[in-house]
Amino acid sequence: MTGTLLVTGGAGFIGSHVVDLALTEGWRVRVLDSLREDVHALAPEVRDDVELIRGDVEDPDAASRALRDVDVVCHQAAKVGLGVDLDDAPDYVRSNDLGTAVLLSQMARSGVGRLVLASSMVVYGEGRYRDAQGVIAAPPRGIDDLEAGRFEPRSPRTGEPLVPELIDEDAPLDPRNVYAASKIAQEHLARVWARETGGRAALLRYHNVYGPGMPQATPYAGVASIFRSALEAGRAPIVLEDGGQRRDFVHVGDVAAANLAAAAWTADTDPGTARAFNVASGEVHTVGEMAAALADAFGGPAPVIAGGYRRGDVRHITASSQRLRDELGWRPKVAFADGMREFAAAPLRPPAGR
């Protein structure tokens, strides 16, 4: 299944990998990207076989021009990461939610009926947990516990630490920071668009994406990029809490493949469908394990377990990607150890200012 694919944010980290894979698979590719200076320190090189429209998804005219004769939209453009403080909230809402609303309204006008949306694991808040009595929602961790170094969520029924499990797409949504709230709003907008227009939308909930071309030296990057940037500068990665936070680190090449599988799926599913899919490797590792593997592969100083915490961080979030495997035929190809060795040697994007 090919055609014309519009990749919003196609000059960015994940978007550029989607573009490259789409071209390999025979798609005609158009990119809509604002090339924000706080994201791109230098103007990125765009392939000669890609049509670039420099503009913002928040601009109806730019979105309309970009949608001309498009078959599928792969919506990657977003402000990402936990952020610095609530001063970031207006930019998250403007970039993620207003931008998505404008794009969807122009898709409705243009008759483009297939969407792949980049969502995130953050929509779940804490992951799935169990105590002695069964599955239970984890309440937000208390500041007193965090200050005392008690990092594991505790059961409100027993007071004991909860046991983490894999989460699936039917779990309740529970945003714990502004970024998470903005991603949930994007999903809701996509569901409304699909229902009202008969469109088809795949909502891809990315887990911790890493790989070549990650941004560096920015508080909005993922933890893998923060650790890799430290190593590049000759510093030890600083691991917060006790390093025991469970995550699923998924290679950007596998994420790009999930996007193309989802784009094909939108051609065959029923009109009015919007369905969420976890994009995860299936390999659970702690943040401390990832820092150690990356430092070892890089040949740099060992990680430092610093304690401390960030408000809005969750303790454990790992997912089942069985739905993506069963319904879209996707399989991850990059194992954790191989991906970390590649990432340790891969170039990063130049740092950009806010």
Side-chain angles (χ1 to χ4, degrees):
M1 173 62 65
T2 57
T4 299
L5 179 71
L6 171 64
V7 184
T8 71
F13 167 46
I14 296 174
S16 61
H17 283 270
V18 173
V19 167
D20 288 343
L21 183 59
L23 290 167
T24 299
E25 294 191 358
W27 290 84
R28 295 180 298 277
V29 178
R30 182 178 299 148
V31 165
L32 173 63
D33 201 301
S34 64
L35 305 182
R36 284 174 54 153
E37 292 182 359
D38 62 341
V39 177
H40 300 281
L42 303 173
E45 294 183 5
V46 178
R47 298 172 49 149
D48 292 339
D49 47 358
V50 172
E51 179 187 358
L52 171 64
I53 295 178
R54 182 166 183 171
D56 203 305
V57 289
E58 301 161 32
D59 178 359
D61 292 336
S64 178
R65 285 188 290 116
L67 287 164
R68 192 169 298 123
D69 300 321
V70 161
D71 297 294
V72 191
V73 174
C74 196
H75 184 29
Q76 306 294 317
K79 184 179 178 72
V80 300
L82 182 61
V84 176
D85 52 39
L86 279 174
D87 286 343
D88 282 326
D91 196 20
Y92 275 110
V93 172
R94 180 172 57 251
S95 300
N96 298 355
D97 303 338
L98 176 60
T100 299
V102 170
L103 177 67
L104 293 174
S105 69
Q106 293 303 315
M107 288 176 66
R109 286 173 175 265
S110 303
V112 179
R114 296 164 59 193
L115 171 69
V116 180
L117 173 69
S119 186
S120 171
M121 66 178 188
V122 297
V123 299
Y124 298 117
E126 287 283 354
R128 176 185 166 101
Y129 289 89
R130 175 180 298 276
D131 66 7
Q133 300 178 32
V135 173
I136 187 172
R141 296 183 292 172
I143 296 299
D144 289 346
D145 279 342
L146 293 171
E147 291 283 356
R150 295 187 294 267
F151 300 120
E152 295 295 336
R154 293 182 174 273
S155 169
R157 296 188 293 216
T158 69
E160 296 298 314
L162 294 168
V163 177
E165 298 184 338
L166 300 183
I167 199 166
D168 64 27
E169 294 87 349
D170 295 326
L173 305 184
D174 183 17
R176 300 288 174 94
N177 54 60
V178 171
Y179 173 56
S182 75
K183 299 310 285 186
I184 288 178
Q186 284 186 293
E187 288 197 12
H188 287 324
L189 288 166
R191 292 183 188 279
V192 171
W193 165 83
R195 185 167 57 247
E196 293 191 1
T197 67
R200 302 164 171 90
L203 317 176
L204 301 186
R205 294 173 178 168
Y206 301 159
H207 282 251
N208 287 76
V209 185
Y210 74 96
M214 283 195 85
Q216 63 174 305
T218 166
Y220 302 94
V223 67
S225 176
I226 292 170
F227 292 165
R228 177 70 168 75
S229 297
L231 290 164
E232 190 79 18
R235 302 190 306 270
I238 304 300
V239 181
L240 297 182
E241 301 188 15
D242 59 0
Q245 307 94 309
R246 290 161 52 103
R247 297 290 188 271
D248 186 305
F249 298 96
V250 58
H251 191 273
V252 67
D254 289 331
V255 173
N259 274 269
L260 272 297
W265 173 85
T266 59
D268 299 325
T269 193
D270 293 334
T273 298
R275 190 153 173 79
F277 298 91
N278 287 328
V279 183
S281 72
E283 294 188 57
V284 175
H285 294 275
T286 69
V287 172
E289 288 170 349
M290 187 275 286
L294 186 59
D296 182 64
F298 188 86
V304 173
I305 307 299
Y309 62 92
R310 293 193 306 173
R311 287 178 180 266
D313 268 345
V314 298
R315 179 62 176 176
H316 303 300
I317 175 67
T318 56
S320 167
S321 59
Q322 199 61 47
R323 178 183 291 180
L324 185 64
R325 296 165 186 252
D326 290 346
E327 298 184 16
L328 276 65
W330 174 88
R331 296 289 185 278
K333 295 182 178 179
V334 183
F336 175 80
D338 296 335
M340 286 295 142
R341 282 192 293 269
E342 178 204 37
F343 183 47
L348 299 177
R349 289 174 178 250
R354 288 196 62 187

